[in-house]
Amino acid sequence: MTSSLSAPSGAATGGPTALALLDHLSDMVFVVDARGTLCYANSACEAFLGRSVEDVLGTNALELVHVDDRGLAIEALAETAAKGPGIREPLTVRVAMKDANAPDEPMRMIELVANNLLDTPEVRGIVICARDVTGRAETPSGRDDSDFGAEFSFDRAPSACAVIDPDGRLTRVNPAMIELTGYTAAQLIGMHVAELAHPEELDEEAITAQRLLDGDADHDTHERRLQCADGHAVWVRRTFWVVRGPGNSVHAVNCALVDISEQRAVKEHALQLRDILESSPELVFLTDAHGTIEYVNTRARELLGLQEGDRPSDRLDGFLGAETVERIPEKIEPQLLANGMWTGELTLLTTTGEEIPAACTVQLHKDEHDVVTLVSAIAHDIRDLKSAQRRLEHQATHDVLTMLPNRQLFQELGDQALARADRDGTTVAVLFLDLDRFKHVNDSFGHPVGDQLLVEVAARLRDVVRKSDVLARFGGDEFAICCEHPAGQREMLELAARLIAAVSPPAQLGTATAEVGVSIGIAIGAGSRVTIDTLLRDADVALYQAKEQGRGRAVIFGISTPTELL
């Protein structure tokens, strides 16, 4: 006799080899979905049931269980589905060979364990392994086998169980029920089930009870609060299962309660944590051990350009800039694996391709077996910080008024130009400029107009010099220009003439008309002994000579006869 392999889509197959192995097992193997529908049964199941698997596939597995034990079975199925992956404690129930609703059908007892593999793509079901234990326990003398089996499974059930009569009163409870409620057995027997319900849920439970009594439903499962003997409430997963007698009348209602207070606390804690993450101004990413994104908070979605409902990239590195991705294998990953944490700067990539600098902390989260189960990345947008840093760096090396390089930057760039000139065998020229009659402008129109004039002069000078030249303001009304590999003295004199001509025209500054000139000193040099400071000193000496000779002139250092350009 062979088992049917025509399991529904998503049922446990595992390939022909795996199925062949299952068919040779002496233990029974069932696979049911979350609703209890049978998806698969191996050959041992056929041998035990005495009927073809084709007859039971697609039916509810609870139909195989004795009517008095279905409450326990339903509670166990719900518990297994709710708690996630893992093998549950063994459960013993009675199984009918043909019709579990017929009291005279032969019954056998099986012990089963269940493993929740609903989230496993290859299975998508709850795997139940069972074996026949009918002859394991000796039946006490004078007792019927079926009665003993019912009491055996009822009393040993790990979850709280009770039997309720049609009037709503408890007629039987198991030890787990006594422990959960805090009442004694004597207090529970005869108690109306409404006394165990939370006051806020009485109306809902009354509606449920009426539906069951009216035959509109055979069972009902909900998360409810149980009122215990000491007055505190415990969250439970409550299942009612109706046992009907002749004429479809209600014989009793089986009740099974699973304590889920810890799960609820974890769930509420998770919801609180999620609320915190959602309201956080930081960017939060959670991934699995392989970097596949499992959660992105609102701030991160907004910054990266993800709309509500959009599916983020499968992997976190899909949101990282190219430079950051290149650093992962050599810089980030080794430190992360060694210390469990990495902190540093990286670039995030938006859906539009914009790169955003961020300060980020990445941390590995491990289980009790030291296996990475979660990776968290918390990042802070530092665009404003970077912008402020660039402004400070610019202010440290540039004149705030004209935005030209200042003396410090001029000297750094001048030293670099001299180093290149020494290597290439060329020269460097420095032009030192001082405005003529600028004090008169300040005295006549005030310093604000004088500042406007300096900005105007800087713009005129910038239009004259070459792009490769360095134009700087040294403070007050002094400017300097560094020119690499000039063609000779004549070229520098021609440049000076253009600068003087550019500065000389009057400048209209609001209602004021300001007019200044400029005098220029020039120094040309190269070699290992020449520094930018020596060239500036020589150009300053030449400038002093130009001033003495009548201003509006350019003088080259070392030439005794000044060159008048006006």
Side-chain angles (χ1 to χ4, degrees), residues 497-509:
R498 293 195 299 274
L499 293 170
I500 293 171
V503 173
S504 297
Q508 190 65 41
L509 306 170

Side-chain angles (χ1 to χ4, degrees), residues 56-118:
V56 294
L57 282 181
T59 63
N60 195 309
L62 295 172
E63 295 178 8
L64 300 175
V65 180
H66 188 280
V67 64
D68 291 338
D69 290 349
R70 285 179 186 171
L72 296 178
I74 243 184
E75 175 270 325
L77 181 64
E79 179 185 14
T80 302
K83 285 190 174 180
I87 298 176
R88 301 294 165 250
E89 295 183 25
L91 175 69
T92 304
V93 294
R94 291 170 294 170
V95 174
M97 299 299 97
K98 292 184 180 180
D99 185 0
N101 293 308
D104 56 346
E105 287 293 336
M107 296 286 172
R108 299 187 69 82
M109 295 180 65
I110 63 169
E111 185 180 70
L112 56 88
V113 291
N115 189 7
N116 184 343
L117 298 179
L118 288 167

Side-chain angles (χ1 to χ4, degrees), residues 153-174:
S153 57
F154 184 87
D155 291 336
R156 285 193 57 191
S159 299
C161 298
V163 178
I164 307 168
D165 68 18
D167 294 328
R169 298 195 175 276
L170 280 66
T171 61
R172 185 179 179 192
V173 294
N174 72 342

Side-chain angles (χ1 to χ4, degrees), residues 496-538:
R498 293 195 299 274
L499 293 170
I500 293 171
V503 173
S504 297
Q508 190 65 41
L509 306 170
T511 59
T513 301
E515 186 175 358
V516 294
V518 63
S519 297
I520 304 174
I522 304 172
I524 302 175
S528 58
R529 296 184 178 180
V530 177
T531 67
I532 195 65
D533 286 333
T534 59
L535 288 179
L536 281 170
R537 182 195 61 202
D538 294 345

